[in-house]
Amino acid sequence: MIGTRRLAVLFTAPLAVALLALLIYPLLSTIVLAFRSPEGAFGIDNFIATFTQAGFLQVVGNTAVFTLASTFLSLALGFSMAYAMDYVEAGRRWLVSIFMLPLAIMPVVSGLTFGMMLNPALGVVNQTLMQLGIVGPGWATDTRTALLTVILIDVWQWTPFCFVIMHAGFRSLSSEQREAARVDGAGPLQELFLVSIPMLRNILIVTAVFRFMDAFKAFDTIYIVTQGGPGRATETLIIRAFMEGFRFYKPHSMAVIGIVLLVVTMVSARFVGRLLDQRGLQT
């Protein structure tokens, strides 16, 4: 007679082995590829060669600007929408469903759609501006506006993610404490900053970290709209990794950038884990 524990191990072992094979082997292969030079020697030569490539600092800067700007704008807009929705009674479910629509659209589809809409010559946006007597910008084809364009598209796509989480957080707040603050004479802003935000701190942290990690590894929208161009105006680390591996056939450089992305993601996850652990949300 097989015991319950052995039976559980028997059922889960195949899945565990499959997951380890799918996760551990590619990770080890990437690490070996990053530290082994094309000549077969192990060291940090690949890291030095990748970090000293022309334009690499600009790529790092693009990644930082895109990640931080997209994260901040998504959080700010999502929080504002969730706070405003907390005061809506009639039609709340319909409005929440409408606000969530961008999440139901694949990034590739939204990238293609915005690419056509923002086409400088034939796009509906510039055509509308022309009717108003305004000369539209080049959007994704102009080095001055390309990064801002992909940031705004990414914000449109993922603001509903922040909104849904924060809306659920607002709905879970204790109404007694908020009512007590209003009875004590607190205005809307005082109630928001002194009562609601401290109670939502953990939710804000989790949402910010998840949004940060998602923006940091954003690929679909940038590649579909600009492919990292014009020039290197919108080239981020993950776009550079793709180009190095599949366009320039430099797998060692792609592996190095993959290690950098992995380290940043792990540090972010560890950061939020420690914060939540300090607040007693983990066992």
Side-chain angles (χ1 to χ4, degrees), residues 83 87 176-196:
Y83 179 68
Y87 290 92
E176 289 79 6
Q177 295 186 17
R178 301 173 73 184
E179 288 294 336
R182 297 190 185 104
V183 170
D184 290 339
L189 291 179
Q190 290 176 314
E191 183 270 327
L192 174 64
F193 286 101
L194 300 179
V195 179
S196 296

Side-chain angles (χ1 to χ4, degrees), residues 151-186:
I151 288 173
L152 294 178
I153 296 173
D154 191 68
V155 168
W156 176 87
Q157 180 87 55
W158 295 107
T159 292
F161 170 79
C162 301
F163 161 73
V164 169
I165 296 178
M166 294 180 187
H167 175 63
F170 271 109
R171 300 302 296 170
S172 67
L173 293 180
S174 172
S175 59
E176 289 79 6
Q177 295 186 17
R178 301 173 73 184
E179 288 294 336
R182 297 190 185 104
V183 170
D184 290 339

